[in-house]
Amino acid sequence: MPIDQNRLTSRRMWLLFETYHDVTYFTPESRAATDALGCKGGWMGYFGMRAAPLGAVAPEMVISSFYNFHPRMVCRAIPDAWQVATPEQYLATRLKGADGALRRMLGDVDVSEAAELAQEAARNAPTAGRPLAAANAIIPAPDEPHLKLWQATTVLRESRGDGHVAALVAAPLDPIETLVLFTTERGVDPAYMRAARGWSEEEWSLAEQRLQDRGLVQGGAVTQAGRDLRADIERRTDEAAEAPWQALGQAKTERLVELMTPLARSLGEQNEAMRQNPMDINVVKELS
């Protein structure tokens, strides 16, 4: 099925703003900031920083909104993370980590125009039924342009992510079935994905069997029905993320693409998390 222009724009912008946002959790600067805060390991820092806009929520809220992490992986970090520091301190810490990583990888490049355009787009990112988007959208934007841009990309990526979760629920695919189907279709190493999201081999095998019973996988490969379902999920996700770019308009969106592309390429080349990640995106390859 051909992808229409609105969907192409939605997907293109995701690649760009996701790459800018992804300095947040796994760079050396981010890990150093959460270690200094007192976090016990990188995953406590990740869950604490990403969940902080929601407040000191129970683990069940994080499990629900993050969707594909194993509950026990979340529960090793939440609610203990709120004993280490307050959500407000985690917000300051993630901003500190992003600031350090962006300064190291981008230097003194002027991103003022990109920040203003991205902020305009982010103000039009859907938040209804999207808890992570709504929680991030009410955080005041920092003054520094590179951090203002980071805040806008964070709102945009969480809005898109919440829409993606809605598409998965409608599919319907539970959290581990989502990972198994995606991993099988994309050729990602299952062991890597299990480690990244905390699922056991037994749980993975049971999910594979459920997908096989639905005719979505067969013999370790995705069937046509499975490919069709994955395509429908991506279509719904793209369509649910079109609003910011429709509101921004074609000319401003094209200008933002022009400004963000060299930033994303530079970050993709330097940020190890953009070379292997559970989203299976490689921005350098995509932009080449």
Side-chain angles (χ1 to χ4, degrees):
M1 178 186 298
I3 301 180
D4 66 26
Q5 188 57 50
N6 287 336
R7 279 194 62 203
L8 282 171
T9 298
S10 178
R11 183 154 287 266
R12 172 75 167 186
M13 294 310 302
W14 168 59
L15 182 68
L16 297 175
F17 66 67
E18 181 73 40
T19 303
Y20 197 92
H21 162 83
D22 273 348
V23 304
T24 308
Y25 304 112
F26 302 110
T27 57
E29 293 83 359
S30 180
R31 179 61 188 268
T34 55
D35 284 352
L37 191 64
C39 289
K40 302 174 180 67
W43 283 112
M44 177 177 281
Y46 169 83
F47 287 115
M49 288 190 293
R50 190 174 173 210
L54 300 169
V57 293
E60 289 79 9
M61 184 62 182
V62 178
I63 293 164
S64 172
S65 55
F66 288 22
Y67 200 67
N68 57 26
F69 287 91
H70 196 292
R72 65 173 168 260
M73 189 173 179
V74 176
C75 290
R76 283 197 292 268
I78 304 292
D80 288 356
W82 311 133
Q83 301 302 313
V84 171
T86 66
E88 291 76 17
Q89 289 173 308
Y90 278 102
L91 290 176
T93 297
R94 76 176 190 174
L95 198 63
K96 180 180 179 180
D99 179 49
L102 289 168
R103 289 183 186 276
R104 170 174 58 86
M105 289 187 273
L106 296 180
D108 296 327
V109 61
D110 184 5
V111 299
S112 300
E113 185 182 358
E116 293 303 322
L117 290 171
Q119 281 281 303
E120 184 176 345
R123 286 193 289 270
N124 290 281
T127 57
R130 306 189 195 210
L132 287 170
N136 279 278
I138 61 174
I139 297 173
D143 293 330
E144 299 91 336
H146 68 292
L147 295 178
K148 183 182 293 186
L149 178 56
W150 173 84
Q151 173 66 18
T153 62
T154 300
V155 173
L156 290 164
R157 72 93 59 192
E158 295 293 20
S159 179
R160 182 184 174 90
D162 286 339
H164 184 59
V165 169
L168 296 173
V169 171
L173 291 171
D174 70 23
I176 188 172
E177 290 168 357
T178 295
L179 295 174
V180 172
L181 186 61
F182 176 82
T183 298
T184 305
E185 184 199 39
R186 301 282 293 191
V188 177
D189 180 5
Y192 165 77
M193 191 66 83
R194 286 195 299 269
R197 294 296 180 259
W199 299 92
S200 69
E201 289 189 48
E202 180 180 4
E203 290 164 328
W204 196 268
S205 295
L206 290 172
E208 284 181 318
Q209 184 61 56
R210 295 196 298 274
L211 293 175
Q212 183 168 304
D213 292 344
R214 290 176 61 182
L216 301 176
V217 300
Q218 183 68 46
V222 177
T223 64
Q224 185 60 53
R227 287 191 292 272
D228 290 345
L229 181 58
R230 281 278 305 123
D232 185 61
I233 290 167
E234 294 302 320
R235 175 185 63 79
R236 290 173 182 268
T237 301
D238 291 339
E239 291 175 350
E242 289 174 2
W245 318 115
Q246 292 173 340
L248 192 60
Q250 182 178 351
K252 288 183 177 180
T253 299
E254 289 177 356
R255 177 57 177 161
L256 185 57
V257 169
E258 180 183 358
L259 294 167
M260 290 291 295
T261 296
L263 302 178
R265 184 178 288 111
S266 180
L267 292 171
E269 290 169 349
Q270 298 179 73
N271 186 2
E272 185 178 349
M274 296 311 298
R275 291 194 287 274
Q276 183 181 39
N277 52 74
M279 297 169 292
D280 193 36
I281 61 173
N282 185 324
V283 68
V284 175
K285 181 179 178 180
E286 293 287 342
L287 293 178
S288 62

